[in-house]
Amino acid sequence: MNHDHKKVFLITGVSSGFGRAFSEAAVAAGHQVIGTVRREDDRAPFEAIAPGSARAVVLDVTDFAAIDGAIASMIDEFGRIDVLINNAGYGHEGVLEESPLEAMRHQFEVNVFGAVAMMKAVLPGMRERRSGHIINMSSMAGYTPLPGIAYYAGSKFALEGITGVLAKEVEAFGIKVTAIAPGSFRTDWAGRSMIRSERSIADYDALFDPIRKAREDKSGKQAGDPGRAAQALLQLIDAKQAPVHLLLGSDALNVVRGHLADLLAQIDTWEPVSRSTDFA
Protein backbone atom coordinates (compact mmCIF):
# COMPACT_ATOMS: atom_id res chain seq x y z
CA MET A 1 0.00 0.00 0.00
CA ASN A 2 1.47 3.35 -0.89
CA HIS A 3 2.16 5.65 2.00
CA ASP A 4 -0.37 8.31 0.88
CA HIS A 5 -3.22 5.99 1.74
CA LYS A 6 -1.88 4.94 5.11
CA LYS A 7 -3.99 6.63 7.76
CA VAL A 8 -3.73 6.97 11.51
CA PHE A 9 -6.96 5.74 13.13
CA LEU A 10 -7.95 6.46 16.72
CA ILE A 11 -10.67 4.00 17.80
CA THR A 12 -12.21 4.08 21.27
CA GLY A 13 -13.32 0.90 23.03
CA VAL A 14 -11.32 -1.68 21.07
CA SER A 15 -11.43 -4.64 23.47
CA SER A 16 -14.37 -6.31 21.73
CA GLY A 17 -17.20 -6.00 19.23
CA PHE A 18 -17.08 -3.34 16.52
CA GLY A 19 -13.98 -1.69 17.98
CA ARG A 20 -12.03 -4.91 17.71
CA ALA A 21 -13.38 -5.76 14.22
CA PHE A 22 -12.69 -2.24 12.91
CA SER A 23 -9.15 -2.29 14.32
CA GLU A 24 -8.32 -5.64 12.73
CA ALA A 25 -9.66 -4.55 9.33
CA ALA A 26 -7.86 -1.19 9.40
CA VAL A 27 -4.53 -2.81 10.33
CA ALA A 28 -5.01 -5.44 7.61
CA ALA A 29 -5.59 -2.62 5.11
CA GLY A 30 -2.22 -1.09 6.04
CA HIS A 31 -3.34 1.62 8.45
CA GLN A 32 -1.96 2.51 11.88
CA VAL A 33 -4.49 2.02 14.69
CA ILE A 34 -4.39 3.57 18.14
CA GLY A 35 -7.05 1.90 20.28
CA THR A 36 -8.30 3.00 23.68
CA VAL A 37 -8.84 0.36 26.36
CA ARG A 38 -10.04 0.90 29.93
CA ARG A 39 -7.78 -1.62 31.66
CA GLU A 40 -4.05 -2.21 31.56
CA ASP A 41 -4.82 -5.95 31.09
CA ASP A 42 -6.49 -5.19 27.74
CA ARG A 43 -3.39 -3.52 26.30
CA ALA A 44 -1.33 -6.60 25.32
CA PRO A 45 -4.19 -8.57 23.67
CA PHE A 46 -4.97 -5.56 21.48
CA GLU A 47 -1.37 -4.87 20.46
CA ALA A 48 -1.00 -8.58 19.59
CA ILE A 49 -3.26 -7.95 16.55
CA ALA A 50 -0.21 -6.46 14.80
CA PRO A 51 2.75 -5.31 16.88
CA GLY A 52 3.74 -1.82 15.71
CA SER A 53 0.53 -1.20 13.75
CA ALA A 54 -1.88 -1.66 16.68
CA ARG A 55 -1.09 0.54 19.68
CA ALA A 56 -3.23 0.46 22.84
CA VAL A 57 -3.69 3.47 25.11
CA VAL A 58 -5.38 3.15 28.50
CA LEU A 59 -8.05 5.86 28.51
CA ASP A 60 -11.60 6.07 29.84
CA VAL A 61 -13.58 8.43 27.59
CA THR A 62 -15.35 9.83 30.67
CA ASP A 63 -12.01 10.96 32.16
CA PHE A 64 -12.36 14.28 30.36
CA ALA A 65 -9.34 15.84 32.05
CA ALA A 66 -7.06 13.13 30.61
CA ILE A 67 -8.25 13.26 27.00
CA ASP A 68 -6.38 16.30 25.65
CA GLY A 69 -3.06 15.09 27.06
CA ALA A 70 -3.61 11.59 25.67
CA ILE A 71 -4.37 12.97 22.20
CA ALA A 72 -1.36 15.31 22.33
CA SER A 73 0.91 12.32 23.10
CA MET A 74 -0.56 10.37 20.18
CA ILE A 75 0.01 13.28 17.81
CA ASP A 76 3.60 13.66 19.07
CA GLU A 77 4.23 10.02 18.29
CA PHE A 78 2.21 9.42 15.12
CA GLY A 79 2.12 12.94 13.65
CA ARG A 80 -1.65 13.24 13.25
CA ILE A 81 -5.01 11.55 13.65
CA ASP A 82 -6.76 11.07 10.32
CA VAL A 83 -9.79 9.10 11.49
CA LEU A 84 -11.51 9.17 14.88
CA ILE A 85 -14.01 6.38 15.52
CA ASN A 86 -16.10 6.99 18.63
CA ASN A 87 -17.01 3.40 19.36
CA ALA A 88 -16.78 3.27 23.17
CA GLY A 89 -20.27 2.96 24.57
CA TYR A 90 -22.71 0.55 26.14
CA GLY A 91 -26.42 -0.15 26.23
CA HIS A 92 -28.71 0.55 29.16
CA GLU A 93 -31.94 -1.47 29.13
CA GLY A 94 -34.88 -0.66 31.35
CA VAL A 95 -38.38 0.78 31.38
CA LEU A 96 -38.10 4.55 31.89
CA GLU A 97 -40.24 4.65 35.04
CA GLU A 98 -38.17 1.87 36.61
CA SER A 99 -34.74 3.23 35.68
CA PRO A 100 -32.89 5.59 38.06
CA LEU A 101 -31.81 8.99 36.76
CA GLU A 102 -28.25 8.14 37.78
CA ALA A 103 -28.28 5.35 35.17
CA MET A 104 -29.26 7.90 32.52
CA ARG A 105 -26.52 10.27 33.62
CA HIS A 106 -23.89 7.56 33.22
CA GLN A 107 -25.33 6.46 29.86
CA PHE A 108 -24.97 10.02 28.55
CA GLU A 109 -21.52 10.51 30.14
CA VAL A 110 -20.13 7.62 28.10
CA ASN A 111 -22.22 7.62 24.92
CA VAL A 112 -22.56 11.40 24.40
CA PHE A 113 -20.14 13.44 26.55
CA GLY A 114 -17.28 10.97 26.03
CA ALA A 115 -17.79 11.03 22.26
CA VAL A 116 -18.00 14.84 22.16
CA ALA A 117 -14.87 15.21 24.31
CA MET A 118 -12.95 13.02 21.85
CA MET A 119 -14.24 15.05 18.87
CA LYS A 120 -13.22 18.32 20.50
CA ALA A 121 -9.74 16.92 21.14
CA VAL A 122 -9.05 15.89 17.51
CA LEU A 123 -10.74 18.80 15.75
CA PRO A 124 -7.94 21.40 16.08
CA GLY A 125 -5.45 19.13 14.26
CA MET A 126 -7.97 18.12 11.59
CA ARG A 127 -8.96 21.75 11.04
CA GLU A 128 -5.31 22.79 10.71
CA ARG A 129 -4.64 20.05 8.12
CA ARG A 130 -7.98 20.65 6.40
CA SER A 131 -8.67 16.92 6.43
CA GLY A 132 -9.98 14.18 8.67
CA HIS A 133 -12.95 11.92 9.25
CA ILE A 134 -14.93 11.62 12.48
CA ILE A 135 -17.15 8.54 12.76
CA ASN A 136 -19.64 8.18 15.60
CA MET A 137 -21.10 4.76 16.34
CA SER A 138 -24.80 5.28 16.81
CA SER A 139 -27.64 2.77 16.45
CA MET A 140 -30.94 2.24 14.69
CA ALA A 141 -32.23 3.18 18.18
CA GLY A 142 -30.99 6.70 17.35
CA TYR A 143 -33.90 6.99 14.88
CA THR A 144 -36.57 4.70 16.20
CA PRO A 145 -38.17 4.69 19.66
CA LEU A 146 -37.79 1.04 20.71
CA PRO A 147 -39.51 0.44 24.08
CA GLY A 148 -37.29 -0.54 27.00
CA ILE A 149 -34.17 1.41 26.04
CA ALA A 150 -35.15 5.05 26.58
CA TYR A 151 -31.81 6.15 28.01
CA TYR A 152 -29.79 4.37 25.32
CA ALA A 153 -32.06 5.65 22.53
CA GLY A 154 -31.86 9.16 24.00
CA SER A 155 -28.06 9.02 23.95
CA LYS A 156 -28.03 7.86 20.32
CA PHE A 157 -30.67 10.41 19.21
CA ALA A 158 -28.36 13.02 20.78
CA LEU A 159 -25.30 11.63 18.99
CA GLU A 160 -27.13 11.57 15.62
CA GLY A 161 -28.13 15.22 16.07
CA ILE A 162 -24.68 16.35 17.20
CA THR A 163 -23.08 14.50 14.27
CA GLY A 164 -25.38 16.24 11.78
CA VAL A 165 -24.62 19.68 13.18
CA LEU A 166 -20.86 19.12 13.37
CA ALA A 167 -20.84 17.87 9.75
CA LYS A 168 -22.22 21.26 8.67
CA GLU A 169 -19.83 23.22 10.90
CA VAL A 170 -16.66 21.57 9.58
CA GLU A 171 -17.56 20.80 5.97
CA ALA A 172 -15.70 23.87 4.72
CA PHE A 173 -12.49 22.55 6.33
CA GLY A 174 -12.51 19.26 4.41
CA ILE A 175 -13.45 17.29 7.52
CA LYS A 176 -16.00 14.50 7.04
CA VAL A 177 -18.38 13.48 9.84
CA THR A 178 -20.51 10.33 9.77
CA ALA A 179 -22.84 8.61 12.23
CA ILE A 180 -23.02 4.86 11.64
CA ALA A 181 -26.28 3.32 12.85
CA PRO A 182 -26.09 -0.49 13.02
CA GLY A 183 -29.00 -2.81 13.53
CA SER A 184 -28.47 -6.01 15.55
CA PHE A 185 -24.92 -7.36 15.21
CA ARG A 186 -23.07 -10.19 16.93
CA THR A 187 -21.21 -8.02 19.43
CA ASP A 188 -21.36 -7.95 23.24
CA TRP A 189 -23.92 -5.12 23.17
CA ALA A 190 -26.81 -7.27 24.41
CA GLY A 191 -24.52 -9.49 26.49
CA ARG A 192 -21.79 -8.42 28.87
CA SER A 193 -21.88 -4.76 27.71
CA MET A 194 -25.56 -4.29 28.60
CA ILE A 195 -26.56 -2.68 31.92
CA ARG A 196 -30.07 -3.74 32.94
CA SER A 197 -32.33 -1.99 35.44
CA GLU A 198 -34.17 -4.18 37.95
CA ARG A 199 -37.85 -4.78 37.31
CA SER A 200 -40.29 -3.39 39.89
CA ILE A 201 -43.64 -2.42 38.28
CA ALA A 202 -45.91 -5.28 37.17
CA ASP A 203 -47.90 -3.04 34.81
CA TYR A 204 -44.99 -3.15 32.36
CA ASP A 205 -44.61 -6.96 32.35
CA ALA A 206 -46.80 -7.53 29.28
CA LEU A 207 -44.89 -5.03 27.15
CA PHE A 208 -41.38 -5.43 28.43
CA ASP A 209 -40.83 -9.06 29.49
CA PRO A 210 -41.07 -10.38 25.90
CA ILE A 211 -38.68 -7.63 24.71
CA ARG A 212 -36.07 -8.47 27.35
CA LYS A 213 -36.42 -12.21 26.66
CA ALA A 214 -36.17 -11.79 22.88
CA ARG A 215 -33.02 -9.68 23.26
CA GLU A 216 -31.40 -12.27 25.54
CA ASP A 217 -32.41 -15.14 23.21
CA LYS A 218 -31.07 -13.34 20.13
CA SER A 219 -27.71 -12.44 21.72
CA GLY A 220 -25.04 -14.22 19.68
CA LYS A 221 -27.48 -15.04 16.85
CA GLN A 222 -27.95 -11.56 15.38
CA ALA A 223 -27.95 -11.19 11.58
CA GLY A 224 -25.21 -8.55 11.53
CA ASP A 225 -21.59 -9.61 10.95
CA PRO A 226 -19.06 -7.24 12.60
CA GLY A 227 -16.40 -8.35 10.08
CA ARG A 228 -18.60 -7.21 7.20
CA ALA A 229 -19.37 -3.99 9.05
CA ALA A 230 -15.60 -3.40 9.20
CA GLN A 231 -15.35 -3.79 5.41
CA ALA A 232 -18.19 -1.26 5.04
CA LEU A 233 -16.23 1.08 7.32
CA LEU A 234 -13.16 0.88 5.06
CA GLN A 235 -15.38 1.72 2.05
CA LEU A 236 -16.76 4.69 3.97
CA ILE A 237 -13.25 5.97 4.81
CA ASP A 238 -12.24 5.78 1.13
CA ALA A 239 -15.42 7.41 -0.21
CA LYS A 240 -14.96 10.82 -1.83
CA GLN A 241 -18.44 11.85 -0.67
CA ALA A 242 -19.08 10.31 2.74
CA PRO A 243 -22.68 10.19 3.99
CA VAL A 244 -23.44 11.98 7.26
CA HIS A 245 -25.79 9.12 8.21
CA LEU A 246 -25.16 5.48 7.32
CA LEU A 247 -27.34 2.53 8.34
CA LEU A 248 -25.78 -0.94 8.61
CA GLY A 249 -27.90 -4.08 8.44
CA SER A 250 -31.14 -4.96 6.66
CA ASP A 251 -32.99 -4.82 10.00
CA ALA A 252 -31.86 -1.22 10.51
CA LEU A 253 -33.09 -0.33 7.00
CA ASN A 254 -36.52 -1.86 7.62
CA VAL A 255 -36.99 -0.41 11.10
CA VAL A 256 -35.81 3.10 10.22
CA ARG A 257 -37.73 3.28 6.93
CA GLY A 258 -40.88 2.16 8.78
CA HIS A 259 -40.35 4.77 11.47
CA LEU A 260 -39.74 7.59 8.96
CA ALA A 261 -42.90 6.62 7.04
CA ASP A 262 -44.92 6.77 10.29
CA LEU A 263 -43.39 10.14 11.11
CA LEU A 264 -44.28 11.60 7.69
CA ALA A 265 -47.83 10.28 8.04
CA GLN A 266 -48.19 11.99 11.44
CA ILE A 267 -46.80 15.24 10.04
CA ASP A 268 -49.28 15.11 7.16
CA THR A 269 -52.25 14.29 9.43
CA TRP A 270 -51.53 17.19 11.75
CA GLU A 271 -50.45 19.64 9.06
CA PRO A 272 -53.49 21.93 9.49
CA VAL A 273 -52.74 22.32 13.21
CA SER A 274 -49.05 22.89 12.47
CA ARG A 275 -49.93 25.66 9.99
CA SER A 276 -52.56 27.22 12.28
CA THR A 277 -50.02 28.72 14.68
CA ASP A 278 -48.49 31.36 12.38
CA PHE A 279 -49.57 34.98 12.74
CA ALA A 280 -52.58 35.62 10.52
Side-chain angles (χ1 to χ4, degrees), residues 96-126:
L96 185 140
E97 192 182 342
E98 292 179 336
S99 299
L101 272 180
E102 205 34 63
M104 181 181 183
R105 186 170 282 117
H106 192 254
Q107 180 76 107
F108 273 67
E109 284 277 301
V110 177
N111 291 7
V112 182
F113 285 81
V116 171
M118 295 298 294
M119 292 187 242
K120 287 170 74 68
V122 300
L123 276 167
M126 290 183 172

Short mmCIF file of all heavy atoms in Angstrom, two decimals, residues 96-126:
data_model
loop_
_atom_site.label_atom_id
_atom_site.label_comp_id
_atom_site.label_asym_id
_atom_site.label_seq_id
_atom_site.Cartn_x
_atom_site.Cartn_y
_atom_site.Cartn_z
N LEU A 96 -38.46 3.23 31.40
CA LEU A 96 -38.10 4.55 31.89
C LEU A 96 -38.52 4.75 33.35
O LEU A 96 -37.71 5.20 34.18
CB LEU A 96 -38.73 5.64 31.00
CG LEU A 96 -38.31 7.06 31.36
CD1 LEU A 96 -38.08 7.90 30.11
CD2 LEU A 96 -39.34 7.76 32.26
N GLU A 97 -39.76 4.39 33.69
CA GLU A 97 -40.24 4.65 35.04
C GLU A 97 -39.46 3.86 36.09
O GLU A 97 -39.36 4.26 37.24
CB GLU A 97 -41.74 4.32 35.12
CG GLU A 97 -42.40 4.84 36.38
CD GLU A 97 -43.89 4.48 36.48
OE1 GLU A 97 -44.50 4.13 35.45
OE2 GLU A 97 -44.41 4.55 37.61
N GLU A 98 -38.91 2.73 35.68
CA GLU A 98 -38.17 1.87 36.61
C GLU A 98 -36.67 2.18 36.69
O GLU A 98 -35.96 1.62 37.52
CB GLU A 98 -38.30 0.39 36.18
CG GLU A 98 -39.70 -0.16 36.32
CD GLU A 98 -39.82 -1.62 35.87
OE1 GLU A 98 -38.99 -2.07 35.05
OE2 GLU A 98 -40.74 -2.29 36.34
N SER A 99 -36.19 3.04 35.80
CA SER A 99 -34.74 3.23 35.68
C SER A 99 -34.29 4.51 36.38
O SER A 99 -34.80 5.59 36.09
CB SER A 99 -34.35 3.29 34.20
OG SER A 99 -34.69 2.08 33.56
N PRO A 100 -33.33 4.41 37.31
CA PRO A 100 -32.89 5.59 38.06
C PRO A 100 -32.24 6.64 37.15
O PRO A 100 -31.60 6.30 36.15
CB PRO A 100 -31.87 5.03 39.05
CG PRO A 100 -31.48 3.67 38.57
CD PRO A 100 -32.60 3.18 37.71
N LEU A 101 -32.42 7.90 37.52
CA LEU A 101 -31.81 8.99 36.76
C LEU A 101 -30.30 8.85 36.68
O LEU A 101 -29.68 9.21 35.68
CB LEU A 101 -32.14 10.35 37.41
CG LEU A 101 -33.42 11.02 36.97
CD1 LEU A 101 -33.58 12.35 37.70
CD2 LEU A 101 -33.43 11.25 35.45
N GLU A 102 -29.71 8.31 37.75
CA GLU A 102 -28.25 8.14 37.78
C GLU A 102 -27.80 7.25 36.61
O GLU A 102 -26.74 7.47 36.03
CB GLU A 102 -27.85 7.51 39.13
CG GLU A 102 -26.44 7.79 39.58
CD GLU A 102 -25.89 9.16 39.17
OE1 GLU A 102 -26.41 10.21 39.60
OE2 GLU A 102 -24.91 9.18 38.40
N ALA A 103 -28.62 6.24 36.28
CA ALA A 103 -28.28 5.35 35.17
C ALA A 103 -28.29 6.11 33.84
O ALA A 103 -27.48 5.86 32.95
CB ALA A 103 -29.26 4.17 35.11
N MET A 104 -29.22 7.06 33.73
CA MET A 104 -29.26 7.90 32.52
C MET A 104 -28.05 8.80 32.45
O MET A 104 -27.44 8.97 31.39
CB MET A 104 -30.53 8.74 32.51
CG MET A 104 -30.62 9.60 31.27
SD MET A 104 -32.10 10.63 31.28
CE MET A 104 -31.92 11.42 29.68
N ARG A 105 -27.68 9.37 33.60
CA ARG A 105 -26.52 10.27 33.62
C ARG A 105 -25.27 9.53 33.14
O ARG A 105 -24.52 10.04 32.31
CB ARG A 105 -26.31 10.84 35.03
CG ARG A 105 -25.22 11.89 35.08
CD ARG A 105 -25.19 12.62 36.41
NE ARG A 105 -26.23 13.63 36.49
CZ ARG A 105 -27.24 13.63 37.37
NH1 ARG A 105 -27.35 12.68 38.27
NH2 ARG A 105 -28.14 14.59 37.35
N HIS A 106 -25.08 8.32 33.63
CA HIS A 106 -23.89 7.56 33.22
C HIS A 106 -23.95 7.17 31.74
O HIS A 106 -22.95 7.23 31.03
CB HIS A 106 -23.69 6.32 34.09
CG HIS A 106 -22.33 5.70 33.89
ND1 HIS A 106 -22.15 4.54 33.18
CD2 HIS A 106 -21.09 6.13 34.23
CE1 HIS A 106 -20.84 4.27 33.12
NE2 HIS A 106 -20.19 5.21 33.76
N GLN A 107 -25.17 6.80 31.28
CA GLN A 107 -25.33 6.46 29.86
C GLN A 107 -24.91 7.63 28.97
O GLN A 107 -24.22 7.44 27.97
CB GLN A 107 -26.81 6.10 29.61
CG GLN A 107 -27.13 5.72 28.18
CD GLN A 107 -26.68 4.34 27.79
OE1 GLN A 107 -27.47 3.44 27.64
NE2 GLN A 107 -25.39 4.14 27.60
N PHE A 108 -25.31 8.84 29.35
CA PHE A 108 -24.97 10.02 28.55
C PHE A 108 -23.49 10.41 28.72
O PHE A 108 -22.86 10.86 27.76
CB PHE A 108 -25.89 11.19 28.90
CG PHE A 108 -27.17 11.21 28.10
CD1 PHE A 108 -28.12 10.21 28.26
CD2 PHE A 108 -27.42 12.20 27.17
CE1 PHE A 108 -29.30 10.20 27.52
CE2 PHE A 108 -28.59 12.21 26.42
CZ PHE A 108 -29.54 11.20 26.59
N GLU A 109 -22.95 10.21 29.92
CA GLU A 109 -21.52 10.51 30.14
C GLU A 109 -20.66 9.75 29.15
O GLU A 109 -19.74 10.30 28.54
CB GLU A 109 -21.10 10.09 31.56
CG GLU A 109 -21.55 11.02 32.66
CD GLU A 109 -20.62 12.21 32.82
OE1 GLU A 109 -19.42 12.02 33.09
OE2 GLU A 109 -21.12 13.34 32.68
N VAL A 110 -20.94 8.46 28.99
CA VAL A 110 -20.13 7.62 28.10
C VAL A 110 -20.50 7.85 26.64
O VAL A 110 -19.65 8.17 25.81
CB VAL A 110 -20.30 6.12 28.46
CG1 VAL A 110 -19.52 5.24 27.47
CG2 VAL A 110 -19.84 5.85 29.89
N ASN A 111 -21.79 7.67 26.32
CA ASN A 111 -22.22 7.62 24.92
C ASN A 111 -22.25 8.99 24.24
O ASN A 111 -22.12 9.07 23.02
CB ASN A 111 -23.61 6.99 24.80
CG ASN A 111 -23.61 5.50 25.12
OD1 ASN A 111 -22.62 4.94 25.56
ND2 ASN A 111 -24.76 4.86 24.92
N VAL A 112 -22.45 10.07 25.01
CA VAL A 112 -22.56 11.40 24.40
C VAL A 112 -21.38 12.28 24.81
O VAL A 112 -20.59 12.70 23.95
CB VAL A 112 -23.89 12.10 24.78
CG1 VAL A 112 -24.00 13.45 24.10
CG2 VAL A 112 -25.09 11.22 24.41
N PHE A 113 -21.22 12.54 26.11
CA PHE A 113 -20.14 13.44 26.55
C PHE A 113 -18.76 12.89 26.19
O PHE A 113 -17.89 13.64 25.75
CB PHE A 113 -20.25 13.71 28.06
CG PHE A 113 -21.35 14.65 28.41
CD1 PHE A 113 -22.66 14.20 28.52
CD2 PHE A 113 -21.09 16.00 28.64
CE1 PHE A 113 -23.70 15.08 28.84
CE2 PHE A 113 -22.12 16.88 28.96
CZ PHE A 113 -23.42 16.42 29.06
N GLY A 114 -18.56 11.58 26.37
CA GLY A 114 -17.28 10.97 26.03
C GLY A 114 -16.96 11.14 24.55
O GLY A 114 -15.84 11.49 24.17
N ALA A 115 -17.98 10.90 23.71
CA ALA A 115 -17.79 11.03 22.26
C ALA A 115 -17.47 12.49 21.89
O ALA A 115 -16.58 12.76 21.08
CB ALA A 115 -19.03 10.54 21.52
N VAL A 116 -18.21 13.43 22.47
CA VAL A 116 -18.00 14.84 22.16
C VAL A 116 -16.62 15.30 22.63
O VAL A 116 -15.91 16.03 21.92
CB VAL A 116 -19.12 15.72 22.76
CG1 VAL A 116 -18.78 17.20 22.63
CG2 VAL A 116 -20.46 15.42 22.07
N ALA A 117 -16.21 14.84 23.80
CA ALA A 117 -14.87 15.21 24.31
C ALA A 117 -13.78 14.74 23.36
O ALA A 117 -12.81 15.47 23.09
CB ALA A 117 -14.66 14.62 25.71
N MET A 118 -13.93 13.54 22.82
CA MET A 118 -12.95 13.02 21.85
C MET A 118 -12.96 13.86 20.57
O MET A 118 -11.90 14.18 20.01
CB MET A 118 -13.24 11.55 21.53
CG MET A 118 -13.09 10.59 22.69
SD MET A 118 -11.41 10.49 23.38
CE MET A 118 -10.51 9.78 22.01
N MET A 119 -14.14 14.22 20.10
CA MET A 119 -14.24 15.05 18.87
C MET A 119 -13.54 16.39 19.08
O MET A 119 -12.78 16.84 18.22
CB MET A 119 -15.71 15.30 18.51
CG MET A 119 -16.46 14.07 18.05
SD MET A 119 -18.13 14.53 17.47
CE MET A 119 -19.16 13.64 18.61
N LYS A 120 -13.81 17.01 20.23
CA LYS A 120 -13.22 18.32 20.50
C LYS A 120 -11.69 18.23 20.56
O LYS A 120 -11.00 19.16 20.15
CB LYS A 120 -13.77 18.89 21.81
CG LYS A 120 -15.23 19.35 21.68
CD LYS A 120 -15.85 19.70 23.01
CE LYS A 120 -15.34 21.00 23.59
NZ LYS A 120 -15.78 22.17 22.81
N ALA A 121 -11.18 17.08 21.02
CA ALA A 121 -9.74 16.92 21.14
C ALA A 121 -9.04 16.74 19.79
O ALA A 121 -7.90 17.19 19.61
CB ALA A 121 -9.42 15.74 22.06
N VAL A 122 -9.72 16.09 18.82
CA VAL A 122 -9.05 15.89 17.51
C VAL A 122 -9.33 17.00 16.51
O VAL A 122 -8.60 17.13 15.52
CB VAL A 122 -9.45 14.53 16.86
CG1 VAL A 122 -9.06 13.36 17.77
CG2 VAL A 122 -10.91 14.47 16.47
N LEU A 123 -10.36 17.80 16.75
CA LEU A 123 -10.74 18.80 15.75
C LEU A 123 -9.66 19.84 15.44
O LEU A 123 -9.47 20.17 14.27
CB LEU A 123 -12.06 19.49 16.14
CG LEU A 123 -13.32 18.72 15.73
CD1 LEU A 123 -14.56 19.28 16.43
CD2 LEU A 123 -13.51 18.75 14.21
N PRO A 124 -8.93 20.37 16.44
CA PRO A 124 -7.94 21.40 16.08
C PRO A 124 -6.92 20.90 15.04
O PRO A 124 -6.63 21.61 14.08
CB PRO A 124 -7.26 21.71 17.42
CG PRO A 124 -8.29 21.38 18.45
CD PRO A 124 -9.03 20.19 17.90
N GLY A 125 -6.41 19.68 15.22
CA GLY A 125 -5.45 19.13 14.26
C GLY A 125 -6.07 18.89 12.89
O GLY A 125 -5.45 19.18 11.86
N MET A 126 -7.29 18.38 12.87
CA MET A 126 -7.97 18.12 11.59
C MET A 126 -8.25 19.43 10.86
O MET A 126 -8.09 19.54 9.65
CB MET A 126 -9.28 17.35 11.83
CG MET A 126 -9.07 15.91 12.26
SD MET A 126 -10.66 15.02 12.44
CE MET A 126 -10.05 13.33 12.72
#
